[in-house]
């Protein structure tokens, strides 16, 4: 028998493993040092009380014959899909319930959506990038064209004439760079996709961090996007669901390719390969979209954004170039003194006891950059930035 040989083309997932080994070694050599991690992409604030209350109630329902639920709809319960539609209505986007598919998070859907596209398609992916887009397409053997993000385009690459794409990945606010596309830039991407008969896979996992009112928080705020884009959202960073697992994917009814409705293809795919997200979790997710739930989670988002401000203030004081941190939980900084990503990583670890993520792990264009995240605890963060200032000042 043959295995899928495309897996042999994957790069080793060495980034977080190497970081962990380096940190372990440094801790062993300096047992009294408190290491502060500013590199992790996981949240630290607990689930909001309205979410917990809703899940408790749902657990109780599952324990009574009259309210017990077995298999739910593949697409998610109507109560949650309606709540998502209500959330989009506030953004000025009219969605129908049958355009919303509840998921166990954005990562699986970003990978699984590829089932409905031919492996002969050409994919355009920004570099640096969230590694899932690259690896899932390598696994399927698709041709990948990278689009360069760099300091000159503020890490917001734009369509290039002469490049023919079928599938385009956009992530805004971006992981790892924290950069956010403006309306005019997304309008150009939508025009390009429509002209090329391409589909944009828009990753909106960090949309809730956008504070500037003139920045789009959904691709569907751009006219024509319902004919060329699929949007992936997650409650992971929005509401602390990284361990609870829930997200949603929007596939508009107007989105047709090859004479087929992509909504219907996706429904068919889900009905065959997915049995839905648990009732208890969906009730918790529904609570996120209530007035009370939104108020609580926005408090957590403000906490993270204030962390980001503390980081960016320190970098500004040090004269270090960065992007992100204003409408995103990620800060992407240029390593001072022309250091490589790993060189500056080692300096911060060995001299400041601070762990960052080397930008080189997110693609060739990430070399010479580091990613910091705002998801940590405030006190530790302040201490970490004080140590970085002492080392780099
Ligand atoms: N998209 C981006 C850009 C991410 O950074 C992440 C998680 O870090 C995800 C998607 C996946 O999120 P989820 O926890 O919903 O699978």
């Amino acid at each position: 028998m043959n295995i899928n040989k495309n897996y042999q083309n994957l790069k080793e997932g060495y980034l977080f493993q190497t970081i962990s080994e380096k940190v372990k070694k440094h801790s062993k050599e300096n047992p009294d040092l408190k290491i502060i991690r500013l590199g992790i992409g996981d949240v630290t604030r607990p689930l909001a009380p309205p979410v917990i209350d809703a899940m408790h109630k749902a657990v109780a329902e599952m324990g009574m014959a009259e309210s017990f639920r077995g298999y739910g709809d593949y697409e998610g319960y109507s109560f949650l899909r309606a709540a998502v539609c209500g959330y989009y209505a506030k953004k000025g986007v009219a969605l129908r319930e049958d355009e919303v598919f509840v998921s166990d998070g954005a990562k699986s859907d970003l990978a699984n959506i590829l089932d409905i596209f031919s492996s002969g398609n050409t994919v355009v992916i920004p570099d640096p990038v969230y590694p899932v887009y690259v690896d899932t397409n390598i696994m399927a053997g698709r041709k990948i064209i990278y689009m360069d993000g760099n300091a000159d385009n503020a890490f917001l690459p734009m369509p290039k004439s002469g490049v023919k794409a079928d599938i385009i990945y956009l992530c805004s606010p971006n992981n790892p760079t924290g950069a956010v596309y403006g309306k005019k830039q997304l309008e150009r991407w939508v025009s390009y996709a429509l002209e090329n008969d391409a589909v944009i896979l828009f990753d909106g996992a960090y949309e809730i961090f956008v504070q500037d009112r003139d920045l789009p928080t959904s691709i569907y705020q751009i006219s024509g996007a319902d004919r060329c884009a699929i949007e992936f959202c997650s409650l992971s960073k929005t509401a602390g669901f990284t361990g609870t697992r829930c997200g949603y994917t929007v596939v508009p009814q107007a989105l047709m390719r090859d004479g087929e409705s992509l909504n219907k293809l996706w429904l068919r795919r889900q009905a065959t390969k997915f049995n839905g997200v648990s009732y208890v979790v969906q009730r918790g997710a529904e609570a996120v979209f209530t007035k009370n739930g939104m108020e609580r989670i926005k408090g957590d988002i403000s906490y993270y954004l204030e962390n980001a401000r503390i980081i960016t203030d320190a970098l500004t004081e040090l004269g270090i170039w960065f992007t992100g941190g204003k409408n995103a939980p990620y800060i992407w900084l240029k390593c001072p003194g022309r250091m490589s990503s790993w060189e500056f990583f080692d300096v911060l670890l060995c001299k400041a006891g601070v762990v960052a993520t080397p930008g080189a792990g997110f693609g060739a264009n990430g070399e010479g950059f580091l990613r910091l995240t705002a998801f940590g605890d405030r006190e530790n963060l302040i201490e970490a930035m004080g140590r970085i200032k002492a080392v780099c000042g």
Side-chain angles (χ1 to χ4, degrees):
M1 72 78 95
N2 295 318
I3 60 156
N4 179 351
K5 291 261 186 328
N6 293 322
Y7 277 63
Q8 293 168 346
N9 298 326
L10 293 168
K11 282 205 193 116
E12 285 301 315
Y14 61 85
L15 177 68
F16 289 100
Q17 196 184 330
T18 312
I19 293 173
S20 151
E21 279 162 16
K22 278 179 179 265
V23 172
K24 233 189 248 164
K25 182 170 176 282
H26 191 67
S27 298
K28 210 168 165 198
E29 289 164 3
N30 303 273
D32 297 331
L33 177 72
K34 178 174 123 190
I35 302 241
I36 304 178
R37 292 168 197 273
L38 290 190
I40 49 157
D42 201 353
V43 290
T44 52
R45 309 286 291 165
L47 292 173
V51 171
I52 294 296
D53 291 346
M55 290 204 288
H56 275 309
K57 197 167 156 248
V59 167
E61 281 177 52
M62 294 297 269
M64 292 180 292
E66 14 353 322
S67 47
F68 168 78
R69 313 247 184 162
Y71 289 121
D73 298 332
Y74 314 112
E75 319 90 283
Y77 283 104
S78 175
F79 60 77
L80 180 52
R81 300 164 90 200
V84 170
C85 291
Y87 183 61
Y88 271 77
K90 290 195 192 106
K91 296 171 184 253
V93 175
L95 287 187
R96 283 170 34 172
E97 262 182 54
D98 62 6
E99 295 176 308
V100 178
F101 295 81
V102 175
S103 70
D104 64 350
K107 186 181 186 175
S108 7
D109 271 14
L110 279 159
N112 295 335
I113 196 76
L114 294 173
D115 270 12
I116 67 169
F117 297 109
S118 156
S119 56
N121 286 327
T122 298
V123 184
V124 163
I125 303 183
D127 172 355
V129 79
Y130 176 56
V132 169
Y133 315 150
V134 175
D135 287 354
T136 49
N137 279 289
I138 289 177
M139 287 171 179
R142 273 191 199 83
K143 181 180 167 201
I144 300 176
I145 299 175
Y146 292 97
M147 46 182 180
D148 291 332
N150 48 47
D152 292 339
N153 59 21
F155 287 93
L156 293 168
M158 296 304 298
K160 263 197 191 151
S161 58
V163 174
K164 172 81 185 82
D166 300 306
I167 299 171
I168 301 155
Y169 286 84
L170 297 179
C171 177
S172 179
N174 189 274
N175 176 16
T177 67
V180 186
Y181 279 111
K183 188 162 185 270
K184 290 233 147 35
Q185 292 170 311
L186 287 184
E187 279 169 359
R188 276 180 58 198
W189 273 114
V190 166
S191 302
Y192 171 83
L194 289 171
E195 278 160 25
N196 283 277
D197 201 30
V199 173
I200 295 173
L201 303 182
F202 189 83
D203 186 343
Y206 298 96
E207 55 82 27
I208 195 120
F209 288 89
V210 173
Q211 305 295 298
D212 291 358
R213 288 187 171 271
D214 50 347
L215 289 174
T217 57
S218 163
I219 188 84
Y220 304 119
Q221 288 165 329
I222 309 300
S223 166
D226 59 340
R227 286 179 286 120
C228 67
I230 296 175
E231 183 157 293
F232 302 85
C233 288
S234 168
L235 297 186
S236 283
K237 312 299 161 83
T238 305
F241 272 57
T242 49
T244 307
R245 310 302 309 148
C246 197
Y248 50 92
T249 296
V250 178
V251 189
Q253 292 290 356
L255 184 52
M256 306 284 294
R257 286 296 178 273
D258 244 355
E260 295 270 1
S261 152
L262 295 195
N263 180 291
K264 284 207 173 61
L265 286 189
W266 180 239
L267 178 60
R268 186 73 177 83
R269 188 268 171 213
Q270 291 298 78
T272 306
K273 296 194 182 180
F274 186 59
N275 251 343
V277 175
S278 85
Y279 173 68
V280 175
V281 167
Q282 291 195 57
R283 279 294 183 198
E286 180 193 21
V288 169
F289 297 102
T290 59
K291 189 166 175 286
N292 197 6
M294 268 293 146
E295 270 166 22
R296 297 301 295 240
I297 63 156
K298 284 200 170 155
D300 291 335
I301 300 302
S302 300
Y303 178 91
Y304 294 136
L305 285 173
E306 175 61 12
N307 281 353
R309 193 192 58 77
I310 292 166
I311 297 174
T312 54
D313 280 358
L315 296 177
T316 305
E317 215 179 302
L318 289 167
I320 293 177
W321 187 95
F322 66 89
T323 178
K326 209 168 153 226
N327 296 288
Y330 295 113
I331 297 98
W332 182 250
L333 63 93
K334 187 160 174 46
C335 304
R338 295 179 168 272
M339 270 184 274
S340 73
S341 296
W342 280 108
E343 279 168 346
F344 193 41
F345 170 91
D346 285 337
V347 167
L348 291 185
L349 176 62
C350 299
K351 297 202 172 149
V354 171
V355 184
T357 311
F362 297 100
N365 287 328
E367 180 54 277
F369 291 86
L370 276 193
R371 186 190 78 173
L372 298 180
T373 78
F375 288 123
D377 162 82
R378 176 75 44 82
E379 228 175 276
N380 282 340
L381 176 85
I382 292 171
E383 188 181 337
M385 294 322 289
R387 292 190 202 169
I388 293 177
K389 278 199 234 172
V391 169
C392 300

